[in-house]
Amino acid sequence: MSGSEKSFYLTTPIYYVNDAPHIGHAYTTVAGDFLTRWHRQKGESVWYLTGTDEHGQKVMRTAEANGTKPQEWCDRLVESAWKPVWRDLEIAYDDFIRTTEPRHTERVANFLQGLMEKGYIYEGKYEGPYCVGCEEFKLPGDLDDGKCKIHSKPVEIVKETNWFFKLSEFVPKLIDHYKKNPSACEPESARSEVLAFLEGGVSDLSISRSTFDWGIKVPWDSKQVVYVWFDALLNYATAVGLTDGKESAGGKKFEQTWPADVHLVGKDILRFHAVIWPAMLMAGGISVPKKVFAHGWLLVGGEKMSKSKLTGIAPSDITSHFGVDAFRYYFMRAIPFGSDGSFSWEDMSARYTSELANDFGNLASRLTAMIEKYCGGVLPARAESKELSQSLAKTVDVADKAICALDFQSGINAIMDFCKEVNGYVTATEPWAVAKDPMRKAELDAILYNTAESLRALAILLYPIMPISTTKLWGYLGAESALGALDKQVISKASSWGQLSPGAKISKGEILFPRLEEKIASDTKN
RNA sequence: GGCGGGGUAGCUCAGCCUGGUAGAGCAAGCGGCUCAUAAUCGCUGUGUCGUGGGUUCAAAUCCCGCCUCCGCUACCA
C-alpha cells in the first residue's frame, strides 16, 4: 500500500468510562473489527479507531463516588477494564484515543477557536428545567407533570450563560446532504428519522458548561468547559490530526484518513452523529463522514436490554463458555446489522452446535482425520472440482459485496453455505468407501485435495470474524510454509484454486469447536 | 397525538411491492451411513399467516377499522 492511498477509516463511538464494558459495547466494537479486518484482508490500507470518552459530569461524579480524582479513575478503568476486554476479544484497532490526551484536548481547542473566528460561536443564555437532585438540566421527556421522574421533585428553571454553536444554520445543508446521499446515513430507517428530525426544526446548541470543570477549557473563557458531546465527537478527527499543519505528520495522517468511511454508532446516539457532528465539520470547512451507520439493540427475552441489565452481561460471561470466536461470530451472524436482534443463551448454544461445531469444525475434523488415515498426513496431488471452485468464486463475490455493505449476516451466511456445500461434497463422494479400493487411490486423493482447498478458502474468509480458530485451521492444513501467514491472504485471490501445495503436512489438531455441556443451571436465576 | 416499523410453524425469521394450493434454518420423530466433535445424509409432521370487515373467481399478500409491541417525534398541562 502506498503511503498516499486513502485509508478505509472506521470508528466506533468512544465509550463513556463510567463502568466496565458490556456486550452492547462489545457488539459495536466487534462489528468494527470484523469490517476492518475484512478490508485489510482485501489488501486495503485501513485505519480502525476506538477509544474512551472521559470528560463530563457523570465521569466526574463516578470518580468522586469512588473516592478518586477523575483522571485517576479514567486511567484505572481504561487500563484495567477497557483495553483488556478488547484484547480478549481480538480487537485489532490501530489507535485508541482518550479524550483526556493532549493530542485531543489541544486540537479541540484549536478547532473551537477556529469556529469562533468564523463567527459560528456566540454567547447566549441556556435556560431550562434543572433538577437539583440530579444536578442536571432536563429535557421535556424527562419530566412528569413538571417534576423530575427520578426524584419526583419540582424542577427549577435555571439560566446559565454559555457559548452556543449555530447549529440551526446548517439544517438546510444537512437536509440537502442526506437527501442527495442516501448512503450517508444507514440503514434507511435511521436516515428517515434524521431527516424527520431536521425538518422538524433544530435550535442552536449550547456547547459549554460552567457548573463544573471536568472538561476541556474553552480557549477564550477559562470559566467554561466544552460540552462533553462537542468534545467527544471531535475525537474522530483529532485522533488523525485535525487542525495540524498540512506538512506536519498529523496533517499528512489527516489527509490520508479523512473523511471517515464509516462511523459505527448505536441508534441511541444517532442524532449526535448525524446532525451535530456533520454540522460542526461543515462549520469548520471540513468534509463530512461518508457514512454514519446506526446498528440496533440487543434484545433479551424479546425485551430491550436495559442499560442496567446490559451492564450485568460482561463479554467474559459469554466468552468463558463459548469462546471468543463464537462470541464474535454469533452477534454478527445471528443479528441483521441495523435491526434489533434477540439474544438468548439457547439461541447461541443452538447456533454454536449447529453452525460452528457440526458444520465448520466437523468439516475440518473429518478432512484432517481422513488425510492422516488414508494419506499418512500428507496432502495428496492437486485436483480441481469445478463445482466447488465455481461455487467458491461465487461465494467470495457475494460475501464481499454484502460485508462491504455492512450486511454482515448475509455475508457470513454465504460463507457458511459454502461450508455446508463442502460437507455435502464429502458426503456425496464417500471417500471412506473409495479408500477401500486401492485402484481408486487417485479418486480418493482428488476428493481430499478438493476438500482441503475448500477449507483453505474457508479459513481465509472466516478469519476476519473468527481469527483464533481459523489460525488453528491454517496450521492443521500446513498452509503457512507455502502460502505465508493467514492474515496476509487476500480475499480476491481466495478463490483461485490449487494453492495448497501437495506434500504439505496435514495434522488433526485439537477440535475447533468442541461440543459444549448444557449449561443452564448456573445461568438461570435461582 | 403524529410518523415509521413489527405481530406468519415450538424458536429465529423470509414471503407481502408485482394477489393463485403457506416457506427456510434450528429444534422434534423415523430410517440410512460411518471419514468425523453421539458427526452426517434422506424422509416426515407442524401453522385460525394479530383481529374484524371490504375488494376479488381467488388475500399472508390490496383497501378500511381495531388490538398489541417497538422506535422516532410532539404535546396534554
Side-chain angles (χ1 to χ4, degrees):
Chain A
M1 276 56 4
S2 66
S4 58
E5 181 191 346
K6 160 78 172 75
S7 296
F8 177 82
Y9 180 30
L10 182 142
T11 71
T12 70
I14 47 173
Y15 304 110
Y16 221 49
V17 284
N18 245 348
D19 214 332
H22 57 239
I23 63 175
H25 300 116
Y27 179 54
T28 317
T29 310
V30 164
D33 189 60
F34 174 40
L35 184 57
T36 48
R37 278 180 188 260
W38 186 268
H39 277 275
R40 275 193 212 104
Q41 201 91 355
K42 282 161 70 81
E44 297 172 13
S45 165
V46 168
W47 198 251
Y48 182 26
L49 174 74
T50 189
T52 45
D53 183 7
E54 309 188 357
H55 292 306
Q57 208 165 12
K58 251 194 238 169
V59 168
M60 192 176 81
R61 288 247 187 74
T62 308
E64 279 167 9
N66 285 274
T68 82
K69 292 205 158 70
Q71 187 66 61
E72 286 169 19
W73 169 257
C74 294
D75 292 348
R76 191 203 301 169
L77 226 63
V78 167
E79 293 307 324
S80 72
W82 288 83
K83 287 186 174 176
V85 169
W86 299 151
R87 213 171 295 133
D88 290 346
L89 290 174
E90 298 284 325
I91 305 301
Y93 53 75
D94 295 291
D95 191 11
F96 187 105
I97 189 166
R98 301 180 51 185
T99 55
T100 51
E101 290 177 72
R103 63 169 171 158
H104 176 72
T105 57
E106 287 165 10
R107 286 165 177 157
V108 168
N110 289 342
F111 182 79
L112 195 55
Q113 186 71 50
L115 294 197
M116 182 65 170
E117 284 159 15
K118 287 185 179 178
Y120 289 119
I121 306 286
Y122 63 93
E123 192 171 32
K125 282 192 169 44
Y126 186 87
E127 184 172 345
Y130 186 85
C131 169
V132 182
C134 302
E135 280 195 79
E136 230 171 31
F137 282 101
K138 292 294 179 182
L139 296 168
D142 299 326
L143 300 179
D144 185 17
D145 200 19
K147 294 175 179 178
C148 163
K149 278 182 179 170
I150 298 168
H151 293 86
S152 295
K153 284 179 188 162
V155 292
E156 298 169 20
I157 299 300
V158 171
K159 293 178 192 175
E160 189 182 337
T161 300
N162 295 135
W163 296 97
F164 280 71
F165 168 55
K166 289 185 179 171
L167 178 61
S168 57
E169 198 171 313
F170 297 93
V171 169
K173 265 181 151 176
L174 286 167
I175 291 174
D176 190 54
H177 174 239
Y178 288 117
K179 283 201 166 150
K180 282 188 181 149
N181 304 289
S183 65
C185 183
E186 292 181 339
E188 181 59 34
S189 55
R191 179 165 151 268
S192 305
E193 280 181 16
V194 168
L195 275 169
F197 176 76
L198 285 167
E199 278 160 356
V202 173
S203 47
D204 289 344
L205 180 72
S206 162
I207 57 151
S208 70
R209 294 292 124 101
S210 63
T211 50
F212 61 94
D213 66 355
W214 180 235
I216 300 172
K217 282 197 162 48
V218 171
W220 59 86
D221 180 356
S222 61
K223 287 198 280 296
Q224 305 248 355
V225 294
V226 177
Y227 173 47
V228 66
W229 266 107
F230 200 88
D231 161 359
L233 287 164
L234 276 162
N235 91 86
Y236 305 126
T238 61
V240 292
L242 175 75
T243 74
D244 284 16
K246 259 206 172 337
E247 292 311 310
S248 68
K252 284 177 181 162
K253 182 73 194 168
F254 193 74
E255 182 71 24
Q256 200 196 341
T257 43
W258 201 260
D261 290 81
V262 182
H263 289 313
L264 288 186
V265 301
K267 63 184 188 184
D268 52 333
I269 52 173
L270 171 64
R271 208 190 301 161
F272 294 99
H273 288 81
V275 176
I276 299 175
W277 176 227
M280 287 163 65
L281 290 165
M282 285 171 175
I286 292 159
S287 48
V288 299
K290 293 185 193 166
K291 188 192 298 298
V292 174
F293 193 100
H295 68 246
W297 295 114
L298 304 180
L299 308 178
V300 170
E303 288 174 28
K304 185 170 112 188
M305 215 185 267
S306 69
K307 205 144 202 172
S308 52
K309 258 184 179 171
L310 262 178
T311 315
I313 306 179
S316 63
D317 291 341
I318 293 172
T319 58
S320 63
H321 184 66
F322 292 101
V324 168
D325 276 2
F327 180 95
R328 296 169 56 102
Y329 174 85
Y330 176 79
F331 288 105
M332 296 300 105
R333 162 62 232 270
I335 299 167
F337 203 59
S339 311
D340 292 349
S342 328
F343 163 79
S344 73
W345 194 270
E346 292 72 21
D347 185 49
M348 181 151 186
S349 295
R351 285 187 191 281
Y352 177 93
T353 303
S354 165
E355 298 170 20
L356 294 180
N358 296 353
D359 288 346
F360 181 49
N362 191 234
L363 176 61
S365 189
R366 60 202 305 213
L367 181 266
T368 52
M370 283 191 281
I371 289 188
E372 284 197 342
K373 198 164 179 174
Y374 304 140
C375 307
V378 175
L379 186 68
R382 284 196 173 84
E384 176 168 3
S385 156
K386 275 279 179 257
E387 229 169 291
L388 285 180
S389 66
Q390 282 170 5
S391 177
L392 172 60
K394 204 174 300 165
T395 298
V396 172
D397 193 49
V398 171
D400 186 46
K401 281 200 177 76
I403 291 166
C404 290
L406 282 78
D407 181 357
F408 303 138
Q409 185 180 53
S410 299
I412 295 172
N413 239 327
I415 297 167
M416 293 308 280
D417 281 348
F418 177 68
C419 179
K420 281 187 182 179
E421 188 185 338
V422 178
N423 262 317
Y425 168 79
V426 174
T427 302
T429 51
E430 299 189 302
W432 55 91
V434 176
K436 285 177 183 154
D437 182 353
M439 300 298 288
R440 299 172 74 188
K441 176 71 172 128
E443 186 185 344
L444 172 66
D445 285 355
I447 295 168
L448 297 180
Y449 186 85
N450 285 329
T451 307
E453 264 296 281
S454 302
L455 272 164
R456 186 213 92 233
L458 282 170
I460 296 168
L461 298 175
L462 291 172
Y463 174 76
I465 189 66
M466 297 190 285
I468 299 172
S469 48
T470 49
T471 297
K472 283 187 200 164
L473 175 58
W474 199 244
Y476 301 167
L477 293 173
E480 179 128 8
S481 60
L483 300 178
L486 178 55
D487 65 355
K488 295 290 180 279
Q489 308 303 309
V490 184
I491 295 287
S492 61
K493 297 195 178 113
S495 64
S496 82
W497 200 263
Q499 294 186 47
L500 286 175
S501 33
K505 208 171 197 73
I506 306 289
S507 52
K508 181 165 164 57
E510 63 183 87
I511 300 270
L512 256 24
F513 297 96
R515 294 184 72 79
L516 299 172
E517 298 297 314
E518 296 272 328
K519 185 208 166 195
I520 306 293
S522 61
D523 228 44
T524 31
K525 298 125 199 149
N526 292 331

